[in-house]
mmCIF file of all heavy atoms in Angstrom:
data_model
loop_
_atom_site.group_PDB
_atom_site.id
_atom_site.type_symbol
_atom_site.label_atom_id
_atom_site.label_comp_id
_atom_site.label_asym_id
_atom_site.label_seq_id
_atom_site.Cartn_x
_atom_site.Cartn_y
_atom_site.Cartn_z
ATOM 1 N N VAL A 162 92.516 7.845 257.545
ATOM 2 C CA VAL A 162 91.715 7.083 256.413
ATOM 3 C C VAL A 162 90.248 7.006 256.915
ATOM 4 O O VAL A 162 89.921 7.347 258.047
ATOM 5 C CB VAL A 162 92.311 5.739 256.194
ATOM 6 C CG1 VAL A 162 93.836 5.823 255.645
ATOM 7 C CG2 VAL A 162 92.355 4.971 257.463
ATOM 8 N N ILE A 163 89.370 6.552 256.122
ATOM 9 C CA ILE A 163 88.083 6.302 256.384
ATOM 10 C C ILE A 163 87.894 4.801 256.488
ATOM 11 O O ILE A 163 88.168 4.064 255.579
ATOM 12 C CB ILE A 163 87.083 6.715 255.288
ATOM 13 C CG1 ILE A 163 87.287 8.257 254.996
ATOM 14 C CG2 ILE A 163 85.658 6.406 255.512
ATOM 15 C CD1 ILE A 163 87.010 9.309 256.150
ATOM 16 N N ALA A 164 87.405 4.380 257.659
ATOM 17 C CA ALA A 164 87.326 2.957 258.090
ATOM 18 C C ALA A 164 86.596 2.150 257.022
ATOM 19 O O ALA A 164 86.870 0.978 256.647
ATOM 20 C CB ALA A 164 86.804 2.670 259.498
ATOM 21 N N GLN A 165 85.444 2.701 256.541
ATOM 22 C CA GLN A 165 84.549 1.886 255.694
ATOM 23 C C GLN A 165 85.289 1.684 254.288
ATOM 24 O O GLN A 165 85.034 0.645 253.688
ATOM 25 C CB GLN A 165 83.259 2.629 255.329
ATOM 26 C CG GLN A 165 82.231 2.574 256.555
ATOM 27 C CD GLN A 165 82.477 3.632 257.639
ATOM 28 O OE1 GLN A 165 83.610 4.348 257.666
ATOM 29 N NE2 GLN A 165 81.584 3.759 258.584
ATOM 30 N N GLU A 166 86.153 2.618 253.952
ATOM 31 C CA GLU A 166 86.947 2.428 252.721
ATOM 32 C C GLU A 166 88.113 1.421 252.815
ATOM 33 O O GLU A 166 88.220 0.596 252.074
ATOM 34 C CB GLU A 166 87.540 3.710 252.236
ATOM 35 C CG GLU A 166 86.579 4.788 251.830
ATOM 36 C CD GLU A 166 87.138 6.117 251.500
ATOM 37 O OE1 GLU A 166 88.417 6.183 251.526
ATOM 38 O OE2 GLU A 166 86.277 7.023 251.265
ATOM 39 N N ILE A 167 88.681 1.398 254.010
ATOM 40 C CA ILE A 167 89.755 0.431 254.320
ATOM 41 C C ILE A 167 89.170 -0.996 254.507
ATOM 42 O O ILE A 167 89.728 -1.901 254.090
ATOM 43 C CB ILE A 167 90.545 0.853 255.640
ATOM 44 C CG1 ILE A 167 91.252 2.160 255.462
ATOM 45 C CG2 ILE A 167 91.527 -0.287 255.967
ATOM 46 C CD1 ILE A 167 92.354 2.133 254.294
ATOM 47 N N GLN A 168 87.951 -1.003 255.005
ATOM 48 C CA GLN A 168 87.300 -2.312 255.200
ATOM 49 C C GLN A 168 87.164 -3.101 253.881
ATOM 50 O O GLN A 168 87.191 -4.286 253.792
ATOM 51 C CB GLN A 168 85.942 -2.004 255.858
ATOM 52 C CG GLN A 168 85.157 -3.329 256.434
ATOM 53 C CD GLN A 168 84.040 -2.923 257.185
ATOM 54 O OE1 GLN A 168 83.299 -1.989 256.935
ATOM 55 N NE2 GLN A 168 83.814 -3.710 258.277
ATOM 56 N N LYS A 169 86.868 -2.394 252.794
ATOM 57 C CA LYS A 169 86.758 -2.922 251.546
ATOM 58 C C LYS A 169 88.000 -3.490 250.980
ATOM 59 O O LYS A 169 88.079 -4.538 250.206
ATOM 60 C CB LYS A 169 86.181 -2.013 250.581
ATOM 61 C CG LYS A 169 84.796 -1.476 250.781
ATOM 62 C CD LYS A 169 84.352 -0.340 249.896
ATOM 63 C CE LYS A 169 82.942 0.153 250.331
ATOM 64 N NZ LYS A 169 82.699 1.370 249.565
ATOM 65 N N VAL A 170 89.167 -2.856 251.286
ATOM 66 C CA VAL A 170 90.516 -3.276 250.808
ATOM 67 C C VAL A 170 91.172 -4.285 251.801
ATOM 68 O O VAL A 170 91.888 -5.216 251.261
ATOM 69 C CB VAL A 170 91.330 -1.995 250.691
ATOM 70 C CG1 VAL A 170 92.756 -2.310 250.164
ATOM 71 C CG2 VAL A 170 90.644 -0.934 249.747
ATOM 72 N N ALA A 171 91.161 -3.982 253.092
ATOM 73 C CA ALA A 171 91.981 -4.727 253.983
ATOM 74 C C ALA A 171 91.170 -4.961 255.310
ATOM 75 O O ALA A 171 91.381 -4.260 256.247
ATOM 76 C CB ALA A 171 93.286 -4.268 254.418
ATOM 77 N N PRO A 172 89.991 -5.762 255.308
ATOM 78 C CA PRO A 172 89.141 -5.839 256.366
ATOM 79 C C PRO A 172 89.711 -6.253 257.704
ATOM 80 O O PRO A 172 89.173 -5.942 258.826
ATOM 81 C CB PRO A 172 88.084 -6.908 255.950
ATOM 82 C CG PRO A 172 88.670 -7.621 254.811
ATOM 83 C CD PRO A 172 89.649 -6.670 254.241
ATOM 84 N N GLU A 173 90.956 -6.898 257.686
ATOM 85 C CA GLU A 173 91.575 -7.238 258.868
ATOM 86 C C GLU A 173 92.129 -6.143 259.722
ATOM 87 O O GLU A 173 92.391 -6.287 260.966
ATOM 88 C CB GLU A 173 92.716 -8.332 258.720
ATOM 89 C CG GLU A 173 93.966 -7.712 258.058
ATOM 90 C CD GLU A 173 93.879 -7.412 256.589
ATOM 91 O OE1 GLU A 173 92.849 -7.539 255.973
ATOM 92 O OE2 GLU A 173 95.000 -6.984 256.124
ATOM 93 N N LEU A 174 92.062 -4.870 259.197
ATOM 94 C CA LEU A 174 92.570 -3.641 259.761
ATOM 95 C C LEU A 174 91.494 -2.976 260.539
ATOM 96 O O LEU A 174 91.609 -2.064 261.324
ATOM 97 C CB LEU A 174 93.065 -2.825 258.827
ATOM 98 C CG LEU A 174 94.395 -3.136 258.055
ATOM 99 C CD1 LEU A 174 94.753 -2.066 256.971
ATOM 100 C CD2 LEU A 174 95.495 -3.425 258.949
ATOM 101 N N ILE A 175 90.150 -3.503 260.469
ATOM 102 C CA ILE A 175 89.001 -2.908 261.060
ATOM 103 C C ILE A 175 88.536 -3.633 262.310
ATOM 104 O O ILE A 175 88.477 -4.885 262.319
ATOM 105 C CB ILE A 175 87.919 -2.761 259.991
ATOM 106 C CG1 ILE A 175 88.443 -1.991 258.839
ATOM 107 C CG2 ILE A 175 86.743 -2.053 260.538
ATOM 108 C CD1 ILE A 175 88.917 -0.576 258.995
ATOM 109 N N THR A 176 88.126 -2.784 263.305
ATOM 110 C CA THR A 176 87.348 -3.322 264.477
ATOM 111 C C THR A 176 86.255 -2.427 264.723
ATOM 112 O O THR A 176 86.121 -1.342 264.351
ATOM 113 C CB THR A 176 88.266 -3.332 265.757
ATOM 114 O OG1 THR A 176 88.734 -2.108 265.955
ATOM 115 C CG2 THR A 176 89.465 -4.224 265.625
ATOM 116 N N GLU A 177 85.126 -3.059 265.257
ATOM 117 C CA GLU A 177 83.931 -2.291 265.585
ATOM 118 C C GLU A 177 83.821 -2.215 267.172
ATOM 119 O O GLU A 177 83.922 -3.267 267.833
ATOM 120 C CB GLU A 177 82.744 -2.892 264.976
ATOM 121 C CG GLU A 177 81.560 -2.096 265.195
ATOM 122 C CD GLU A 177 80.298 -2.517 264.322
ATOM 123 O OE1 GLU A 177 80.436 -3.435 263.512
ATOM 124 O OE2 GLU A 177 79.234 -2.046 264.581
ATOM 125 N N THR A 178 83.608 -1.048 267.687
ATOM 126 C CA THR A 178 83.374 -0.780 269.071
ATOM 127 C C THR A 178 82.275 0.226 269.213
ATOM 128 O O THR A 178 82.280 1.255 268.582
ATOM 129 C CB THR A 178 84.587 -0.315 269.713
ATOM 130 O OG1 THR A 178 85.761 -1.083 269.490
ATOM 131 C CG2 THR A 178 84.441 -0.179 271.217
ATOM 132 N N ASP A 179 81.250 -0.075 269.997
ATOM 133 C CA ASP A 179 80.245 0.804 270.188
ATOM 134 C C ASP A 179 79.531 1.388 268.932
ATOM 135 O O ASP A 179 79.261 2.458 268.810
ATOM 136 C CB ASP A 179 80.628 2.015 271.117
ATOM 137 C CG ASP A 179 81.080 1.568 272.533
ATOM 138 O OD1 ASP A 179 80.515 0.498 273.004
ATOM 139 O OD2 ASP A 179 81.853 2.229 273.125
ATOM 140 N N ASN A 180 79.420 0.430 267.881
ATOM 141 C CA ASN A 180 78.706 0.686 266.756
ATOM 142 C C ASN A 180 79.492 1.735 265.728
ATOM 143 O O ASN A 180 78.955 2.274 264.858
ATOM 144 C CB ASN A 180 77.412 1.221 266.892
ATOM 145 C CG ASN A 180 76.514 0.980 265.682
ATOM 146 O OD1 ASN A 180 76.663 0.079 264.871
ATOM 147 N ND2 ASN A 180 75.441 1.813 265.424
ATOM 148 N N HIS A 181 80.844 1.778 266.126
ATOM 149 C CA HIS A 181 81.724 2.721 265.266
ATOM 150 C C HIS A 181 82.911 1.888 264.886
ATOM 151 O O HIS A 181 83.373 1.019 265.620
ATOM 152 C CB HIS A 181 82.222 3.938 266.074
ATOM 153 C CG HIS A 181 81.098 4.981 266.294
ATOM 154 N ND1 HIS A 181 80.313 4.979 267.466
ATOM 155 C CD2 HIS A 181 80.659 5.885 265.459
ATOM 156 C CE1 HIS A 181 79.503 5.893 267.336
ATOM 157 N NE2 HIS A 181 79.719 6.560 266.190
ATOM 158 N N LEU A 182 83.349 2.098 263.742
ATOM 159 C CA LEU A 182 84.556 1.385 263.186
ATOM 160 C C LEU A 182 85.785 2.036 263.535
ATOM 161 O O LEU A 182 85.889 3.290 263.420
ATOM 162 C CB LEU A 182 84.481 1.262 261.646
ATOM 163 C CG LEU A 182 83.223 0.514 261.068
ATOM 164 C CD1 LEU A 182 83.290 0.365 259.588
ATOM 165 C CD2 LEU A 182 83.162 -0.928 261.704
ATOM 166 N N GLY A 183 86.835 1.331 263.745
ATOM 167 C CA GLY A 183 88.259 1.747 264.012
ATOM 168 C C GLY A 183 89.161 1.122 263.204
ATOM 169 O O GLY A 183 88.993 0.026 262.693
ATOM 170 N N VAL A 184 90.332 1.746 262.960
ATOM 171 C CA VAL A 184 91.435 1.247 262.097
ATOM 172 C C VAL A 184 92.673 1.071 262.876
ATOM 173 O O VAL A 184 92.999 1.876 263.807
ATOM 174 C CB VAL A 184 91.823 2.305 260.949
ATOM 175 C CG1 VAL A 184 92.915 1.742 260.129
ATOM 176 C CG2 VAL A 184 90.511 2.589 260.180
ATOM 177 N N ALA A 185 93.199 -0.145 262.675
ATOM 178 C CA ALA A 185 94.481 -0.531 263.374
ATOM 179 C C ALA A 185 95.619 0.169 262.523
ATOM 180 O O ALA A 185 96.190 -0.439 261.628
ATOM 181 C CB ALA A 185 94.739 -1.985 263.343
ATOM 182 N N TYR A 186 95.797 1.363 262.704
ATOM 183 C CA TYR A 186 96.811 2.170 261.867
ATOM 184 C C TYR A 186 98.099 1.598 261.856
ATOM 185 O O TYR A 186 98.733 1.611 260.736
ATOM 186 C CB TYR A 186 96.815 3.659 262.379
ATOM 187 C CG TYR A 186 95.684 4.446 261.984
ATOM 188 C CD1 TYR A 186 94.572 4.789 262.633
ATOM 189 C CD2 TYR A 186 95.769 5.154 260.616
ATOM 190 C CE1 TYR A 186 93.523 5.594 262.178
ATOM 191 C CE2 TYR A 186 94.789 5.936 260.062
ATOM 192 C CZ TYR A 186 93.559 6.149 260.897
ATOM 193 O OH TYR A 186 92.626 6.989 260.379
ATOM 194 N N GLY A 187 98.609 1.208 262.778
ATOM 195 C CA GLY A 187 99.994 0.574 262.831
ATOM 196 C C GLY A 187 100.076 -0.548 261.963
ATOM 197 O O GLY A 187 101.239 -0.876 261.440
ATOM 198 N N ASN A 188 99.057 -1.359 261.699
ATOM 199 C CA ASN A 188 99.088 -2.486 260.846
ATOM 200 C C ASN A 188 99.104 -2.152 259.387
ATOM 201 O O ASN A 188 99.305 -3.073 258.516
ATOM 202 C CB ASN A 188 97.963 -3.475 261.193
ATOM 203 C CG ASN A 188 98.149 -4.037 262.603
ATOM 204 O OD1 ASN A 188 99.104 -3.752 263.341
ATOM 205 N ND2 ASN A 188 97.080 -4.655 263.047
ATOM 206 N N ILE A 189 98.806 -0.896 259.053
ATOM 207 C CA ILE A 189 98.890 -0.492 257.671
ATOM 208 C C ILE A 189 100.322 -0.460 257.233
ATOM 209 O O ILE A 189 100.690 -0.656 255.974
ATOM 210 C CB ILE A 189 98.282 0.923 257.410
ATOM 211 C CG1 ILE A 189 96.622 0.870 257.632
ATOM 212 C CG2 ILE A 189 98.540 1.506 256.132
ATOM 213 C CD1 ILE A 189 96.056 2.247 257.651
ATOM 214 N N THR A 190 101.310 -0.423 258.107
ATOM 215 C CA THR A 190 102.637 -0.323 257.852
ATOM 216 C C THR A 190 103.139 -1.543 257.015
ATOM 217 O O THR A 190 104.000 -1.293 256.055
ATOM 218 C CB THR A 190 103.514 -0.388 259.145
ATOM 219 O OG1 THR A 190 103.101 0.742 259.910
ATOM 220 C CG2 THR A 190 104.963 -0.239 258.867
ATOM 221 N N GLY A 191 102.638 -2.757 257.246
ATOM 222 C CA GLY A 191 102.977 -3.902 256.414
ATOM 223 C C GLY A 191 102.661 -3.698 254.889
ATOM 224 O O GLY A 191 103.495 -3.967 254.142
ATOM 225 N N TYR A 192 101.553 -3.091 254.698
ATOM 226 C CA TYR A 192 101.116 -2.861 253.194
ATOM 227 C C TYR A 192 102.106 -1.761 252.665
ATOM 228 O O TYR A 192 102.474 -1.889 251.506
ATOM 229 C CB TYR A 192 99.630 -2.329 253.212
ATOM 230 C CG TYR A 192 98.673 -3.439 253.333
ATOM 231 C CD1 TYR A 192 97.962 -3.692 254.516
ATOM 232 C CD2 TYR A 192 98.389 -4.386 252.275
ATOM 233 C CE1 TYR A 192 97.084 -4.739 254.673
ATOM 234 C CE2 TYR A 192 97.507 -5.329 252.373
ATOM 235 C CZ TYR A 192 96.918 -5.506 253.688
ATOM 236 O OH TYR A 192 95.958 -6.577 253.788
ATOM 237 N N LEU A 193 102.355 -0.774 253.464
ATOM 238 C CA LEU A 193 103.316 0.288 253.007
ATOM 239 C C LEU A 193 104.713 -0.221 252.654
ATOM 240 O O LEU A 193 105.305 0.166 251.570
ATOM 241 C CB LEU A 193 103.313 1.514 254.037
ATOM 242 C CG LEU A 193 101.920 2.188 254.187
ATOM 243 C CD1 LEU A 193 102.269 3.223 255.410
ATOM 244 C CD2 LEU A 193 101.477 2.791 253.005
ATOM 245 N N ILE A 194 105.114 -1.100 253.488
ATOM 246 C CA ILE A 194 106.555 -1.743 253.246
ATOM 247 C C ILE A 194 106.525 -2.392 251.865
ATOM 248 O O ILE A 194 107.445 -2.335 251.117
ATOM 249 C CB ILE A 194 106.920 -2.664 254.415
ATOM 250 C CG1 ILE A 194 107.231 -1.927 255.620
ATOM 251 C CG2 ILE A 194 108.001 -3.605 254.081
ATOM 252 C CD1 ILE A 194 107.374 -2.790 256.914
ATOM 253 N N GLU A 195 105.559 -3.326 251.677
ATOM 254 C CA GLU A 195 105.493 -4.032 250.423
ATOM 255 C C GLU A 195 105.251 -3.091 249.227
ATOM 256 O O GLU A 195 105.856 -3.353 248.114
ATOM 257 C CB GLU A 195 104.366 -5.107 250.439
ATOM 258 C CG GLU A 195 104.696 -6.245 251.514
ATOM 259 C CD GLU A 195 106.066 -6.824 251.273
ATOM 260 O OE1 GLU A 195 106.479 -7.131 250.078
ATOM 261 O OE2 GLU A 195 106.823 -6.942 252.272
ATOM 262 N N ALA A 196 104.445 -2.034 249.339
ATOM 263 C CA ALA A 196 104.193 -1.146 248.198
ATOM 264 C C ALA A 196 105.514 -0.442 247.927
ATOM 265 O O ALA A 196 105.846 -0.240 246.703
ATOM 266 C CB ALA A 196 103.191 -0.104 248.598
ATOM 267 N N ILE A 197 106.251 0.052 248.946
ATOM 268 C CA ILE A 197 107.603 0.630 248.637
ATOM 269 C C ILE A 197 108.572 -0.348 247.973
ATOM 270 O O ILE A 197 109.146 0.061 247.016
ATOM 271 C CB ILE A 197 108.231 1.193 249.980
ATOM 272 C CG1 ILE A 197 107.311 2.414 250.448
ATOM 273 C CG2 ILE A 197 109.655 1.492 249.747
ATOM 274 C CD1 ILE A 197 107.669 2.877 251.858
ATOM 275 N N LYS A 198 108.564 -1.543 248.267
ATOM 276 C CA LYS A 198 109.448 -2.593 247.707
ATOM 277 C C LYS A 198 109.061 -2.692 246.292
ATOM 278 O O LYS A 198 109.902 -2.819 245.334
ATOM 279 C CB LYS A 198 109.429 -3.974 248.437
ATOM 280 C CG LYS A 198 110.211 -3.741 249.757
ATOM 281 C CD LYS A 198 109.875 -4.993 250.756
ATOM 282 C CE LYS A 198 109.862 -6.298 250.246
ATOM 283 N NZ LYS A 198 109.658 -7.321 251.287
ATOM 284 N N ASP A 199 107.738 -2.760 245.980
ATOM 285 C CA ASP A 199 107.155 -2.950 244.613
ATOM 286 C C ASP A 199 107.705 -1.705 243.730
ATOM 287 O O ASP A 199 108.059 -1.861 242.589
ATOM 288 C CB ASP A 199 105.699 -2.992 244.653
ATOM 289 C CG ASP A 199 105.215 -4.335 245.151
ATOM 290 O OD1 ASP A 199 105.943 -5.190 245.260
ATOM 291 O OD2 ASP A 199 103.924 -4.466 245.396
ATOM 292 N N LEU A 200 107.516 -0.600 244.354
ATOM 293 C CA LEU A 200 107.975 0.745 243.658
ATOM 294 C C LEU A 200 109.409 0.632 243.390
ATOM 295 O O LEU A 200 109.862 1.072 242.135
ATOM 296 C CB LEU A 200 107.612 1.981 244.358
ATOM 297 C CG LEU A 200 106.043 2.281 244.388
ATOM 298 C CD1 LEU A 200 105.796 3.372 245.358
ATOM 299 C CD2 LEU A 200 105.479 2.541 242.976
ATOM 300 N N LYS A 201 110.273 0.313 244.251
ATOM 301 C CA LYS A 201 111.641 0.181 244.175
ATOM 302 C C LYS A 201 111.996 -0.736 242.961
ATOM 303 O O LYS A 201 112.934 -0.407 242.190
ATOM 304 C CB LYS A 201 112.486 -0.183 245.429
ATOM 305 C CG LYS A 201 113.925 -0.223 245.302
ATOM 306 C CD LYS A 201 114.612 -0.651 246.540
ATOM 307 C CE LYS A 201 116.104 -0.547 246.652
ATOM 308 N NZ LYS A 201 116.709 -1.151 245.466
ATOM 309 N N GLN A 202 111.439 -1.744 242.988
ATOM 310 C CA GLN A 202 111.687 -2.756 241.856
ATOM 311 C C GLN A 202 111.291 -2.210 240.501
ATOM 312 O O GLN A 202 112.047 -2.423 239.592
ATOM 313 C CB GLN A 202 110.853 -4.129 242.103
ATOM 314 C CG GLN A 202 111.105 -5.153 240.980
ATOM 315 C CD GLN A 202 110.389 -6.394 241.295
ATOM 316 O OE1 GLN A 202 109.642 -6.629 242.213
ATOM 317 N NE2 GLN A 202 110.390 -7.309 240.266
ATOM 318 N N GLU A 203 110.318 -1.559 240.426
ATOM 319 C CA GLU A 203 109.744 -0.880 239.147
ATOM 320 C C GLU A 203 110.822 0.263 238.710
ATOM 321 O O GLU A 203 111.167 0.295 237.556
ATOM 322 C CB GLU A 203 108.318 -0.327 239.392
ATOM 323 C CG GLU A 203 107.746 0.254 238.115
ATOM 324 C CD GLU A 203 106.308 0.820 238.310
ATOM 325 O OE1 GLU A 203 105.721 0.277 239.196
ATOM 326 O OE2 GLU A 203 106.005 1.642 237.570
ATOM 327 N N VAL A 204 111.144 0.946 239.771
ATOM 328 C CA VAL A 204 112.230 1.993 239.389
ATOM 329 C C VAL A 204 113.492 1.373 238.868
ATOM 330 O O VAL A 204 114.110 1.878 237.833
ATOM 331 C CB VAL A 204 112.681 2.915 240.694
ATOM 332 C CG1 VAL A 204 113.779 3.711 240.516
ATOM 333 C CG2 VAL A 204 111.307 3.755 241.038
ATOM 334 N N GLU A 205 113.970 0.291 239.528
ATOM 335 C CA GLU A 205 115.132 -0.423 239.091
ATOM 336 C C GLU A 205 115.000 -0.899 237.580
ATOM 337 O O GLU A 205 116.006 -0.887 236.812
ATOM 338 C CB GLU A 205 115.543 -1.539 240.043
ATOM 339 C CG GLU A 205 115.964 -1.139 241.469
ATOM 340 C CD GLU A 205 117.107 0.020 241.457
ATOM 341 O OE1 GLU A 205 118.156 -0.360 240.612
ATOM 342 O OE2 GLU A 205 117.159 0.874 242.244
ATOM 343 N N GLU A 206 113.859 -1.462 237.308
ATOM 344 C CA GLU A 206 113.555 -1.986 235.980
ATOM 345 C C GLU A 206 113.547 -0.872 235.043
ATOM 346 O O GLU A 206 114.075 -0.955 233.840
ATOM 347 C CB GLU A 206 112.279 -2.693 235.939
ATOM 348 C CG GLU A 206 112.359 -4.044 236.653
ATOM 349 C CD GLU A 206 110.995 -4.635 236.844
ATOM 350 O OE1 GLU A 206 109.995 -4.237 236.242
ATOM 351 O OE2 GLU A 206 110.972 -5.788 237.583
#
């Protein structure tokens, strides 16, 4: 992903080190879990 784009959506996933942005990739998993659950509910409906 692009850190600046993720920062707009989920700023808690971003850290800055030496003037460069980094992404806590493992923490994106929580969002993916909830998105999958939302999609499953929509499919069931």
